[in-house]
Amino acid sequence: MTESLQEARVAPSNDIESLIGREYEQGFITDIESETLPPGIDEGVVARVSEIKGEPDFMREWRLEAYRRWREMKAPDWAKLSIAPIDYQAISYYSAPKSKEDAPKSLDEVDPKLLETYEKLGIPLEERAVLAGVAVDAVFDSVSVATTFKERLASEGIIFCSFSEAVRNHPDLIREYLGSVVPRSDNFFAALNSAVFTDGSFVYVPRGVRCPMELSTYFRINAANTGQFERTLVIADEGSYVSYLEGCTAPMRDENQLHAAVVELVALEGATIKYATVQNWYPGDENGVGGIYNFVTKRGDCRGARSKISWTQVETGSAITWKYPSCVLRGDDSVGEFYSVAVTHHHQQADTGTKMIHLGRNTRSNIVSKGISAGRSRNAYRGLVQVGRDAASARNYTQCDSLLMGDRCAAHTFPYMEVKNPSARVEHEATTSKIGEDQLFYCMSRGLSAEDAVSMIVSGFCKEVFNELPMEFAVEARNLLNVSLEGAIG
Amino acid sequence: MPSPLLEISDLHVAVDGDAILKGVSLSVQPGEVHAVMGPNGSGKSSLCHVLAGGNGYDVTRGSVAYRGEDLLALEPDERAKQGIFLAFQYPVEIPGVNNAYFLKAAVNAVRRARGDEELDAIDFMQLMREKVKLVDMDEGLLRRPLNEGFSGGEKKRNEILQMMLLEPRLAILDETDSGLDIDALRIVADGVNALRSPDRAIVVVTHHERFLEYVVPDHVHVLFEGRIARSGGRTLARELEERGYGHLRAEAAA
Ligand SMILES: Nc1ncnc2c1ncn2[C@@H]1O[C@H](COP(=O)(O)OP(=O)(O)OP(=O)(O)O)[C@@H](O)[C@H]1O
Ligand SMILES: [Mg+2]
């Protein structure tokens, strides 16, 4: 989100003088930032989105080309998901940021239920106001924290900004890397995203720089309004290191039912990117009404030799999740990792997994997937390990564990392997277990409540994945699982 | 006579419709040690699980009072908080859950219920080190996932460690002495004896008369086909050791 936009939202709309003054200050852009496009999509709409964002011509053309390809494509046919058809002409592809007028003025005005959840998740006090959407002053501290953050990163030459800012200020990097990992026509949702994405994040870490902090706190503070078509691009130049955390354990409600994000990671020679996601969007109620459809394309390209990309995800939200963070192991000796916890409860459906594409020699990949299903939910792991002709001595190890709570939920595992080099070694192990009555009883007989017992057993089950999360988030992620599974064992 | 700590009256229990306990009555006073013996499959573990609140046991008749209250109405964690502890015959493995972490959570849950202050990490470690020495357990086991891959004897020691940390009012030991080497047997017995006090009671389920030389019981009961067939003093154990359970079968048939 741009600075100017934030200011504009703070201005009370009835203060005519300040509005007029502002218009001069901010010029044309502020004015149309408040525009909301009518539902529907065509070339005019795509061009308009680009115009609203004040983008250079190359971006507009790039979007239009994406749109033309998307029009030729068919919505995917869901194998394991039940989903009603989505009417793409009923969606508005640009809506103005909401006025802060209606926002709560302090935490006292926020729904106590929401606050209770923050409490349970252990979200730091100073961040609760931001997440609850409390207006202006109350959040001043955290905003200034974010600013300090940015200055420190800048001193290392790290670029960390909104995607829109990157398009304006670093067009060369955007031109070189955008779409270089996930091409516009990669899939239906990636094409749609490429045409109409509104914003997202951009990271560039220069050669040899080790990013001095987790890129997480900042993100969390600013994550609230990223919109339904989000675009993220992370570039780690040679020998650099960055750890990035996307999302938030706090429950996020959003009127936009469809979310189709694209994330591209590029690791050049010797670079490492760790990308962690905590996703807790509204899953719908106990009866499966409402909830977000989350169709994400995430891919990392280990472009240089000895580069490494590691995906870690904790997925608890959304009514429907469809995502396969993948690694293209192009550079020799490059490493791809995927650590995932996917929790489904009530009527949630998750179809998630990864693709490891081994192209370079001596490339290695490691997959650890933990699926937890409760209620009437469905949880599927779908993984592809592909070893190309030239990928001599490639190795993959996949471990896929499912935990069932109750007997009305389902877990499925679909491992696909395509191995074209005889020296490759690909191993797959899968287990499915029910949360044991005897385990629960044992824990409870030592004084733990049923909830604490479930939580302990579940976090034990997920341990290998939680170990990959940044410290402070590991604790929150554990709490998040507890909240998501509340009532799963009667 | 003071009021009993535990009063089991005419307890009938079924599992999946099969009658397992068929009228067990047993009264345990504070300060007492009771031994329960009996052939395999006679219902000893079932009785223990019913007392601790295990799932799947349907009480079809009878009652259990603990400190004068209906025990069967309580959830297993509430029983633990009120001072009931079961050392399992087959302790359960919980992958990924650090043993020390689990112990700390358990100790603090019980302390909270008693109105004691929770122990912080440092105080807890200190307490645990002390108890670990008493049961002569390898400290490495504290850092491992709970019971996962523990040897039979290690699991039993871990149960005794838990018992010592939780300081129960009523400890039920289900064959904790089985599968232990001689030294370990002594250690477990010492642990149980250390727990003996006028306001506590202990029920030990065992197959070995020898264990009762270390942990001398006030009463010995023989559970046979879901009923207490005989009750007596210390000498009953010795008699069983000599004669086996055969004569009970004959008596039951008669
Ligand atoms: N969950 C269960 N499902 C079916 N049968 C059960 C179950 N639990 C106990 N039983 C049966 O109840 C009977 C008593 O079992 P229990 O484990 O209480 O015996 P025990 O006296 O402890 O034997 P042991 O000396 O071998 O430990 C056995 O016949 C057993 O098969
Ligand atoms: Mg038994």
mmCIF file with all atom_site columns, all heavy atoms in Angstrom, chain A residues 437 439 441-444 446-449 456 463, chain B residues 54-55 77 85-86 93 96-97 109 147 159 162:
data_model
loop_
_atom_site.group_PDB
_atom_site.id
_atom_site.type_symbol
_atom_site.label_atom_id
_atom_site.label_alt_id
_atom_site.label_comp_id
_atom_site.label_asym_id
_atom_site.label_entity_id
_atom_site.label_seq_id
_atom_site.pdbx_PDB_ins_code
_atom_site.Cartn_x
_atom_site.Cartn_y
_atom_site.Cartn_z
_atom_site.occupancy
_atom_site.B_iso_or_equiv
_atom_site.pdbx_formal_charge
_atom_site.auth_seq_id
_atom_site.auth_comp_id
_atom_site.auth_asym_id
_atom_site.auth_atom_id
_atom_site.pdbx_PDB_model_num
ATOM 1   N N   . GLU A 1 437 ? -7.588  -42.604 21.007 1.00 0.00 ? 437 GLU A N   1
ATOM 2   C CA  . GLU A 1 437 ? -8.310  -42.482 22.272 1.00 0.00 ? 437 GLU A CA  1
ATOM 3   C C   . GLU A 1 437 ? -7.336  -42.739 23.422 1.00 0.00 ? 437 GLU A C   1
ATOM 4   O O   . GLU A 1 437 ? -7.410  -42.087 24.461 1.00 0.00 ? 437 GLU A O   1
ATOM 5   C CB  . GLU A 1 437 ? -9.412  -43.551 22.347 1.00 0.00 ? 437 GLU A CB  1
ATOM 6   C CG  . GLU A 1 437 ? -10.509 -43.397 21.333 1.00 0.00 ? 437 GLU A CG  1
ATOM 7   C CD  . GLU A 1 437 ? -11.652 -42.560 21.879 1.00 0.00 ? 437 GLU A CD  1
ATOM 8   O OE1 . GLU A 1 437 ? -11.607 -42.268 23.086 1.00 0.00 ? 437 GLU A OE1 1
ATOM 9   O OE2 . GLU A 1 437 ? -12.547 -42.195 21.110 1.00 0.00 ? 437 GLU A OE2 1
ATOM 10  N N   . GLN A 1 439 ? -4.133  -42.232 23.470 1.00 0.00 ? 439 GLN A N   1
ATOM 11  C CA  . GLN A 1 439 ? -3.234  -41.094 23.675 1.00 0.00 ? 439 GLN A CA  1
ATOM 12  C C   . GLN A 1 439 ? -3.934  -39.983 24.452 1.00 0.00 ? 439 GLN A C   1
ATOM 13  O O   . GLN A 1 439 ? -3.375  -39.391 25.367 1.00 0.00 ? 439 GLN A O   1
ATOM 14  C CB  . GLN A 1 439 ? -2.772  -40.539 22.327 1.00 0.00 ? 439 GLN A CB  1
ATOM 15  C CG  . GLN A 1 439 ? -1.831  -41.467 21.587 1.00 0.00 ? 439 GLN A CG  1
ATOM 16  C CD  . GLN A 1 439 ? -1.409  -40.885 20.251 1.00 0.00 ? 439 GLN A CD  1
ATOM 17  O OE1 . GLN A 1 439 ? -2.182  -40.174 19.614 1.00 0.00 ? 439 GLN A OE1 1
ATOM 18  N NE2 . GLN A 1 439 ? -0.200  -41.185 19.835 1.00 0.00 ? 439 GLN A NE2 1
ATOM 19  N N   . PHE A 1 441 ? -6.486  -40.290 26.449 1.00 0.00 ? 441 PHE A N   1
ATOM 20  C CA  . PHE A 1 441 ? -6.726  -40.731 27.820 1.00 0.00 ? 441 PHE A CA  1
ATOM 21  C C   . PHE A 1 441 ? -5.448  -40.618 28.644 1.00 0.00 ? 441 PHE A C   1
ATOM 22  O O   . PHE A 1 441 ? -5.464  -40.150 29.775 1.00 0.00 ? 441 PHE A O   1
ATOM 23  C CB  . PHE A 1 441 ? -7.264  -42.164 27.822 1.00 0.00 ? 441 PHE A CB  1
ATOM 24  C CG  . PHE A 1 441 ? -7.392  -42.775 29.188 1.00 0.00 ? 441 PHE A CG  1
ATOM 25  C CD1 . PHE A 1 441 ? -8.018  -42.081 30.221 1.00 0.00 ? 441 PHE A CD1 1
ATOM 26  C CD2 . PHE A 1 441 ? -6.902  -44.044 29.441 1.00 0.00 ? 441 PHE A CD2 1
ATOM 27  C CE1 . PHE A 1 441 ? -8.135  -42.644 31.487 1.00 0.00 ? 441 PHE A CE1 1
ATOM 28  C CE2 . PHE A 1 441 ? -7.019  -44.612 30.700 1.00 0.00 ? 441 PHE A CE2 1
ATOM 29  C CZ  . PHE A 1 441 ? -7.630  -43.910 31.726 1.00 0.00 ? 441 PHE A CZ  1
ATOM 30  N N   . TYR A 1 442 ? -4.359  -41.019 28.040 1.00 0.00 ? 442 TYR A N   1
ATOM 31  C CA  . TYR A 1 442 ? -3.088  -40.966 28.758 1.00 0.00 ? 442 TYR A CA  1
ATOM 32  C C   . TYR A 1 442 ? -2.778  -39.528 29.190 1.00 0.00 ? 442 TYR A C   1
ATOM 33  O O   . TYR A 1 442 ? -2.459  -39.269 30.345 1.00 0.00 ? 442 TYR A O   1
ATOM 34  C CB  . TYR A 1 442 ? -1.967  -41.514 27.869 1.00 0.00 ? 442 TYR A CB  1
ATOM 35  C CG  . TYR A 1 442 ? -0.653  -41.682 28.567 1.00 0.00 ? 442 TYR A CG  1
ATOM 36  C CD1 . TYR A 1 442 ? -0.428  -42.750 29.430 1.00 0.00 ? 442 TYR A CD1 1
ATOM 37  C CD2 . TYR A 1 442 ? 0.378   -40.776 28.375 1.00 0.00 ? 442 TYR A CD2 1
ATOM 38  C CE1 . TYR A 1 442 ? 0.789   -42.908 30.085 1.00 0.00 ? 442 TYR A CE1 1
ATOM 39  C CE2 . TYR A 1 442 ? 1.597   -40.922 29.019 1.00 0.00 ? 442 TYR A CE2 1
ATOM 40  C CZ  . TYR A 1 442 ? 1.799   -41.990 29.878 1.00 0.00 ? 442 TYR A CZ  1
ATOM 41  O OH  . TYR A 1 442 ? 3.002   -42.142 30.513 1.00 0.00 ? 442 TYR A OH  1
ATOM 42  N N   . CYS A 1 443 ? -2.899  -38.604 28.260 1.00 0.00 ? 443 CYS A N   1
ATOM 43  C CA  . CYS A 1 443 ? -2.608  -37.197 28.577 1.00 0.00 ? 443 CYS A CA  1
ATOM 44  C C   . CYS A 1 443 ? -3.574  -36.667 29.635 1.00 0.00 ? 443 CYS A C   1
ATOM 45  O O   . CYS A 1 443 ? -3.181  -35.977 30.569 1.00 0.00 ? 443 CYS A O   1
ATOM 46  C CB  . CYS A 1 443 ? -2.701  -36.317 27.331 1.00 0.00 ? 443 CYS A CB  1
ATOM 47  S SG  . CYS A 1 443 ? -1.438  -36.669 26.117 1.00 0.00 ? 443 CYS A SG  1
ATOM 48  N N   . MET A 1 444 ? -4.838  -37.002 29.458 1.00 0.00 ? 444 MET A N   1
ATOM 49  C CA  . MET A 1 444 ? -5.831  -36.477 30.401 1.00 0.00 ? 444 MET A CA  1
ATOM 50  C C   . MET A 1 444 ? -5.653  -37.082 31.791 1.00 0.00 ? 444 MET A C   1
ATOM 51  O O   . MET A 1 444 ? -5.876  -36.417 32.801 1.00 0.00 ? 444 MET A O   1
ATOM 52  C CB  . MET A 1 444 ? -7.239  -36.731 29.884 1.00 0.00 ? 444 MET A CB  1
ATOM 53  C CG  . MET A 1 444 ? -7.587  -35.854 28.690 1.00 0.00 ? 444 MET A CG  1
ATOM 54  S SD  . MET A 1 444 ? -9.243  -36.173 28.064 1.00 0.00 ? 444 MET A SD  1
ATOM 55  C CE  . MET A 1 444 ? -10.250 -35.387 29.325 1.00 0.00 ? 444 MET A CE  1
ATOM 56  N N   . ARG A 1 446 ? -3.135  -37.449 33.223 1.00 0.00 ? 446 ARG A N   1
ATOM 57  C CA  . ARG A 1 446 ? -2.065  -36.699 33.894 1.00 0.00 ? 446 ARG A CA  1
ATOM 58  C C   . ARG A 1 446 ? -2.500  -35.273 34.211 1.00 0.00 ? 446 ARG A C   1
ATOM 59  O O   . ARG A 1 446 ? -1.682  -34.434 34.548 1.00 0.00 ? 446 ARG A O   1
ATOM 60  C CB  . ARG A 1 446 ? -0.806  -36.676 33.018 1.00 0.00 ? 446 ARG A CB  1
ATOM 61  C CG  . ARG A 1 446 ? -0.230  -38.049 32.704 1.00 0.00 ? 446 ARG A CG  1
ATOM 62  C CD  . ARG A 1 446 ? 0.060   -38.837 33.979 1.00 0.00 ? 446 ARG A CD  1
ATOM 63  N NE  . ARG A 1 446 ? 0.658   -40.145 33.729 1.00 0.00 ? 446 ARG A NE  1
ATOM 64  C CZ  . ARG A 1 446 ? 0.097   -41.296 34.066 1.00 0.00 ? 446 ARG A CZ  1
ATOM 65  N NH1 . ARG A 1 446 ? -1.105  -41.308 34.624 1.00 0.00 ? 446 ARG A NH1 1
ATOM 66  N NH2 . ARG A 1 446 ? 0.711   -42.438 33.853 1.00 0.00 ? 446 ARG A NH2 1
ATOM 67  N N   . GLY A 1 447 ? -3.780  -34.991 33.989 1.00 0.00 ? 447 GLY A N   1
ATOM 68  C CA  . GLY A 1 447 ? -4.306  -33.689 34.390 1.00 0.00 ? 447 GLY A CA  1
ATOM 69  C C   . GLY A 1 447 ? -4.508  -32.702 33.257 1.00 0.00 ? 447 GLY A C   1
ATOM 70  O O   . GLY A 1 447 ? -4.979  -31.597 33.475 1.00 0.00 ? 447 GLY A O   1
ATOM 71  N N   . LEU A 1 448 ? -4.153  -33.083 32.025 1.00 0.00 ? 448 LEU A N   1
ATOM 72  C CA  . LEU A 1 448 ? -4.356  -32.148 30.917 1.00 0.00 ? 448 LEU A CA  1
ATOM 73  C C   . LEU A 1 448 ? -5.812  -32.182 30.464 1.00 0.00 ? 448 LEU A C   1
ATOM 74  O O   . LEU A 1 448 ? -6.412  -33.245 30.367 1.00 0.00 ? 448 LEU A O   1
ATOM 75  C CB  . LEU A 1 448 ? -3.465  -32.522 29.728 1.00 0.00 ? 448 LEU A CB  1
ATOM 76  C CG  . LEU A 1 448 ? -1.961  -32.580 29.990 1.00 0.00 ? 448 LEU A CG  1
ATOM 77  C CD1 . LEU A 1 448 ? -1.221  -32.903 28.701 1.00 0.00 ? 448 LEU A CD1 1
ATOM 78  C CD2 . LEU A 1 448 ? -1.463  -31.265 30.559 1.00 0.00 ? 448 LEU A CD2 1
ATOM 79  N N   . SER A 1 449 ? -6.351  -31.011 30.161 1.00 0.00 ? 449 SER A N   1
ATOM 80  C CA  . SER A 1 449 ? -7.726  -30.961 29.667 1.00 0.00 ? 449 SER A CA  1
ATOM 81  C C   . SER A 1 449 ? -7.775  -31.598 28.279 1.00 0.00 ? 449 SER A C   1
ATOM 82  O O   . SER A 1 449 ? -6.743  -31.744 27.620 1.00 0.00 ? 449 SER A O   1
ATOM 83  C CB  . SER A 1 449 ? -8.184  -29.509 29.562 1.00 0.00 ? 449 SER A CB  1
ATOM 84  O OG  . SER A 1 449 ? -7.426  -28.854 28.573 1.00 0.00 ? 449 SER A OG  1
ATOM 85  N N   . MET A 1 456 ? -1.539  -30.913 22.328 1.00 0.00 ? 456 MET A N   1
ATOM 86  C CA  . MET A 1 456 ? -0.202  -31.456 22.516 1.00 0.00 ? 456 MET A CA  1
ATOM 87  C C   . MET A 1 456 ? 0.075   -32.573 21.507 1.00 0.00 ? 456 MET A C   1
ATOM 88  O O   . MET A 1 456 ? 1.142   -32.627 20.902 1.00 0.00 ? 456 MET A O   1
ATOM 89  C CB  . MET A 1 456 ? -0.070  -31.981 23.936 1.00 0.00 ? 456 MET A CB  1
ATOM 90  C CG  . MET A 1 456 ? 1.360   -32.056 24.362 1.00 0.00 ? 456 MET A CG  1
ATOM 91  S SD  . MET A 1 456 ? 1.534   -32.390 26.104 1.00 0.00 ? 456 MET A SD  1
ATOM 92  C CE  . MET A 1 456 ? 1.529   -30.788 26.818 1.00 0.00 ? 456 MET A CE  1
ATOM 93  N N   . LYS A 1 463 ? 5.526   -31.427 14.543 1.00 0.00 ? 463 LYS A N   1
ATOM 94  C CA  . LYS A 1 463 ? 6.772   -30.860 15.041 1.00 0.00 ? 463 LYS A CA  1
ATOM 95  C C   . LYS A 1 463 ? 7.805   -30.550 13.964 1.00 0.00 ? 463 LYS A C   1
ATOM 96  O O   . LYS A 1 463 ? 8.390   -29.466 13.933 1.00 0.00 ? 463 LYS A O   1
ATOM 97  C CB  . LYS A 1 463 ? 7.368   -31.842 16.029 1.00 0.00 ? 463 LYS A CB  1
ATOM 98  C CG  . LYS A 1 463 ? 8.516   -31.264 16.779 1.00 0.00 ? 463 LYS A CG  1
ATOM 99  C CD  . LYS A 1 463 ? 8.870   -32.179 17.895 1.00 0.00 ? 463 LYS A CD  1
ATOM 100 C CE  . LYS A 1 463 ? 10.136  -31.684 18.557 1.00 0.00 ? 463 LYS A CE  1
ATOM 101 N NZ  . LYS A 1 463 ? 10.818  -32.781 19.207 1.00 0.00 ? 463 LYS A NZ  1
ATOM 102 N N   . GLY B 2 54  ? -11.056 -44.142 31.881 1.00 0.00 ? 54  GLY B N   1
ATOM 103 C CA  . GLY B 2 54  ? -10.816 -44.571 30.500 1.00 0.00 ? 54  GLY B CA  1
ATOM 104 C C   . GLY B 2 54  ? -12.097 -44.690 29.684 1.00 0.00 ? 54  GLY B C   1
ATOM 105 O O   . GLY B 2 54  ? -13.176 -44.907 30.240 1.00 0.00 ? 54  GLY B O   1
ATOM 106 N N   . ASN B 2 55  ? -11.924 -44.568 28.383 1.00 0.00 ? 55  ASN B N   1
ATOM 107 C CA  . ASN B 2 55  ? -13.057 -44.625 27.465 1.00 0.00 ? 55  ASN B CA  1
ATOM 108 C C   . ASN B 2 55  ? -13.488 -46.049 27.161 1.00 0.00 ? 55  ASN B C   1
ATOM 109 O O   . ASN B 2 55  ? -12.678 -46.960 27.215 1.00 0.00 ? 55  ASN B O   1
ATOM 110 C CB  . ASN B 2 55  ? -12.648 -43.996 26.139 1.00 0.00 ? 55  ASN B CB  1
ATOM 111 C CG  . ASN B 2 55  ? -13.358 -42.690 25.927 1.00 0.00 ? 55  ASN B CG  1
ATOM 112 O OD1 . ASN B 2 55  ? -14.578 -42.630 26.103 1.00 0.00 ? 55  ASN B OD1 1
ATOM 113 N ND2 . ASN B 2 55  ? -12.612 -41.671 25.587 1.00 0.00 ? 55  ASN B ND2 1
ATOM 114 N N   . ASP B 2 77  ? -9.200  -35.891 33.426 1.00 0.00 ? 77  ASP B N   1
ATOM 115 C CA  . ASP B 2 77  ? -8.308  -34.828 33.914 1.00 0.00 ? 77  ASP B CA  1
ATOM 116 C C   . ASP B 2 77  ? -8.761  -34.298 35.270 1.00 0.00 ? 77  ASP B C   1
ATOM 117 O O   . ASP B 2 77  ? -7.945  -33.939 36.110 1.00 0.00 ? 77  ASP B O   1
ATOM 118 C CB  . ASP B 2 77  ? -8.183  -33.698 32.880 1.00 0.00 ? 77  ASP B CB  1
ATOM 119 C CG  . ASP B 2 77  ? -9.521  -33.117 32.473 1.00 0.00 ? 77  ASP B CG  1
ATOM 120 O OD1 . ASP B 2 77  ? -10.496 -33.880 32.368 1.00 0.00 ? 77  ASP B OD1 1
ATOM 121 O OD2 . ASP B 2 77  ? -9.594  -31.892 32.249 1.00 0.00 ? 77  ASP B OD2 1
ATOM 122 N N   . PHE B 2 85  ? -3.952  -41.107 40.326 1.00 0.00 ? 85  PHE B N   1
ATOM 123 C CA  . PHE B 2 85  ? -2.899  -41.339 39.345 1.00 0.00 ? 85  PHE B CA  1
ATOM 124 C C   . PHE B 2 85  ? -2.861  -42.810 38.978 1.00 0.00 ? 85  PHE B C   1
ATOM 125 O O   . PHE B 2 85  ? -2.852  -43.675 39.853 1.00 0.00 ? 85  PHE B O   1
ATOM 126 C CB  . PHE B 2 85  ? -1.534  -40.934 39.913 1.00 0.00 ? 85  PHE B CB  1
ATOM 127 C CG  . PHE B 2 85  ? -0.396  -41.209 38.984 1.00 0.00 ? 85  PHE B CG  1
ATOM 128 C CD1 . PHE B 2 85  ? -0.019  -40.263 38.041 1.00 0.00 ? 85  PHE B CD1 1
ATOM 129 C CD2 . PHE B 2 85  ? 0.283   -42.423 39.010 1.00 0.00 ? 85  PHE B CD2 1
ATOM 130 C CE1 . PHE B 2 85  ? 1.017   -40.511 37.155 1.00 0.00 ? 85  PHE B CE1 1
ATOM 131 C CE2 . PHE B 2 85  ? 1.319   -42.682 38.122 1.00 0.00 ? 85  PHE B CE2 1
ATOM 132 C CZ  . PHE B 2 85  ? 1.687   -41.719 37.199 1.00 0.00 ? 85  PHE B CZ  1
ATOM 133 N N   . LEU B 2 86  ? -2.838  -43.091 37.693 1.00 0.00 ? 86  LEU B N   1
ATOM 134 C CA  . LEU B 2 86  ? -2.707  -44.470 37.225 1.00 0.00 ? 86  LEU B CA  1
ATOM 135 C C   . LEU B 2 86  ? -1.376  -44.630 36.506 1.00 0.00 ? 86  LEU B C   1
ATOM 136 O O   . LEU B 2 86  ? -1.114  -43.932 35.517 1.00 0.00 ? 86  LEU B O   1
ATOM 137 C CB  . LEU B 2 86  ? -3.862  -44.810 36.267 1.00 0.00 ? 86  LEU B CB  1
ATOM 138 C CG  . LEU B 2 86  ? -3.714  -46.110 35.473 1.00 0.00 ? 86  LEU B CG  1
ATOM 139 C CD1 . LEU B 2 86  ? -3.659  -47.332 36.391 1.00 0.00 ? 86  LEU B CD1 1
ATOM 140 C CD2 . LEU B 2 86  ? -4.871  -46.271 34.470 1.00 0.00 ? 86  LEU B CD2 1
ATOM 141 N N   . GLU B 2 93  ? 2.673   -44.189 23.712 1.00 0.00 ? 93  GLU B N   1
ATOM 142 C CA  . GLU B 2 93  ? 3.689   -43.371 23.048 1.00 0.00 ? 93  GLU B CA  1
ATOM 143 C C   . GLU B 2 93  ? 3.039   -42.154 22.390 1.00 0.00 ? 93  GLU B C   1
ATOM 144 O O   . GLU B 2 93  ? 2.006   -42.285 21.744 1.00 0.00 ? 93  GLU B O   1
ATOM 145 C CB  . GLU B 2 93  ? 4.416   -44.196 21.971 1.00 0.00 ? 93  GLU B CB  1
ATOM 146 C CG  . GLU B 2 93  ? 5.045   -45.456 22.533 1.00 0.00 ? 93  GLU B CG  1
ATOM 147 C CD  . GLU B 2 93  ? 6.054   -46.091 21.587 1.00 0.00 ? 93  GLU B CD  1
ATOM 148 O OE1 . GLU B 2 93  ? 6.202   -45.589 20.445 1.00 0.00 ? 93  GLU B OE1 1
ATOM 149 O OE2 . GLU B 2 93  ? 6.699   -47.068 22.004 1.00 0.00 ? 93  GLU B OE2 1
ATOM 150 N N   . GLY B 2 96  ? 6.645   -36.915 18.940 1.00 0.00 ? 96  GLY B N   1
ATOM 151 C CA  . GLY B 2 96  ? 6.861   -35.478 18.758 1.00 0.00 ? 96  GLY B CA  1
ATOM 152 C C   . GLY B 2 96  ? 6.660   -34.642 20.012 1.00 0.00 ? 96  GLY B C   1
ATOM 153 O O   . GLY B 2 96  ? 6.961   -33.461 20.013 1.00 0.00 ? 96  GLY B O   1
ATOM 154 N N   . VAL B 2 97  ? 6.139   -35.252 21.077 1.00 0.00 ? 97  VAL B N   1
ATOM 155 C CA  . VAL B 2 97  ? 5.920   -34.479 22.304 1.00 0.00 ? 97  VAL B CA  1
ATOM 156 C C   . VAL B 2 97  ? 7.060   -34.752 23.283 1.00 0.00 ? 97  VAL B C   1
ATOM 157 O O   . VAL B 2 97  ? 7.218   -35.866 23.768 1.00 0.00 ? 97  VAL B O   1
ATOM 158 C CB  . VAL B 2 97  ? 4.562   -34.825 22.955 1.00 0.00 ? 97  VAL B CB  1
ATOM 159 C CG1 . VAL B 2 97  ? 4.414   -34.129 24.292 1.00 0.00 ? 97  VAL B CG1 1
ATOM 160 C CG2 . VAL B 2 97  ? 3.420   -34.446 22.028 1.00 0.00 ? 97  VAL B CG2 1
ATOM 161 N N   . ALA B 2 109 ? -0.657  -28.375 35.543 1.00 0.00 ? 109 ALA B N   1
ATOM 162 C CA  . ALA B 2 109 ? -2.117  -28.527 35.502 1.00 0.00 ? 109 ALA B CA  1
ATOM 163 C C   . ALA B 2 109 ? -2.616  -28.966 36.880 1.00 0.00 ? 109 ALA B C   1
ATOM 164 O O   . ALA B 2 109 ? -3.609  -28.440 37.400 1.00 0.00 ? 109 ALA B O   1
ATOM 165 C CB  . ALA B 2 109 ? -2.517  -29.549 34.437 1.00 0.00 ? 109 ALA B CB  1
ATOM 166 N N   . ASN B 2 147 ? 7.697   -41.485 25.742 1.00 0.00 ? 147 ASN B N   1
ATOM 167 C CA  . ASN B 2 147 ? 7.594   -42.950 25.663 1.00 0.00 ? 147 ASN B CA  1
ATOM 168 C C   . ASN B 2 147 ? 7.974   -43.537 24.302 1.00 0.00 ? 147 ASN B C   1
ATOM 169 O O   . ASN B 2 147 ? 8.020   -44.759 24.150 1.00 0.00 ? 147 ASN B O   1
ATOM 170 C CB  . ASN B 2 147 ? 6.183   -43.445 26.027 1.00 0.00 ? 147 ASN B CB  1
ATOM 171 C CG  . ASN B 2 147 ? 5.903   -43.300 27.511 1.00 0.00 ? 147 ASN B CG  1
ATOM 172 O OD1 . ASN B 2 147 ? 6.802   -43.408 28.332 1.00 0.00 ? 147 ASN B OD1 1
ATOM 173 N ND2 . ASN B 2 147 ? 4.648   -43.040 27.851 1.00 0.00 ? 147 ASN B ND2 1
ATOM 174 N N   . GLU B 2 159 ? 6.839   -43.811 34.277 1.00 0.00 ? 159 GLU B N   1
ATOM 175 C CA  . GLU B 2 159 ? 5.558   -43.742 34.990 1.00 0.00 ? 159 GLU B CA  1
ATOM 176 C C   . GLU B 2 159 ? 5.775   -43.389 36.460 1.00 0.00 ? 159 GLU B C   1
ATOM 177 O O   . GLU B 2 159 ? 5.061   -42.565 37.024 1.00 0.00 ? 159 GLU B O   1
ATOM 178 C CB  . GLU B 2 159 ? 4.807   -45.086 34.889 1.00 0.00 ? 159 GLU B CB  1
ATOM 179 C CG  . GLU B 2 159 ? 4.354   -45.475 33.482 1.00 0.00 ? 159 GLU B CG  1
ATOM 180 C CD  . GLU B 2 159 ? 3.227   -44.593 32.967 1.00 0.00 ? 159 GLU B CD  1
ATOM 181 O OE1 . GLU B 2 159 ? 2.094   -44.696 33.463 1.00 0.00 ? 159 GLU B OE1 1
ATOM 182 O OE2 . GLU B 2 159 ? 3.508   -43.800 32.058 1.00 0.00 ? 159 GLU B OE2 1
ATOM 183 N N   . GLN B 2 162 ? 6.608   -39.827 36.861 1.00 0.00 ? 162 GLN B N   1
ATOM 184 C CA  . GLN B 2 162 ? 5.390   -39.004 36.810 1.00 0.00 ? 162 GLN B CA  1
ATOM 185 C C   . GLN B 2 162 ? 4.651   -39.052 38.133 1.00 0.00 ? 162 GLN B C   1
ATOM 186 O O   . GLN B 2 162 ? 4.168   -38.042 38.632 1.00 0.00 ? 162 GLN B O   1
ATOM 187 C CB  . GLN B 2 162 ? 4.469   -39.494 35.685 1.00 0.00 ? 162 GLN B CB  1
ATOM 188 C CG  . GLN B 2 162 ? 5.059   -39.283 34.315 1.00 0.00 ? 162 GLN B CG  1
ATOM 189 C CD  . GLN B 2 162 ? 4.096   -39.702 33.217 1.00 0.00 ? 162 GLN B CD  1
ATOM 190 O OE1 . GLN B 2 162 ? 2.902   -39.652 33.384 1.00 0.00 ? 162 GLN B OE1 1
ATOM 191 N NE2 . GLN B 2 162 ? 4.634   -40.113 32.085 1.00 0.00 ? 162 GLN B NE2 1
#
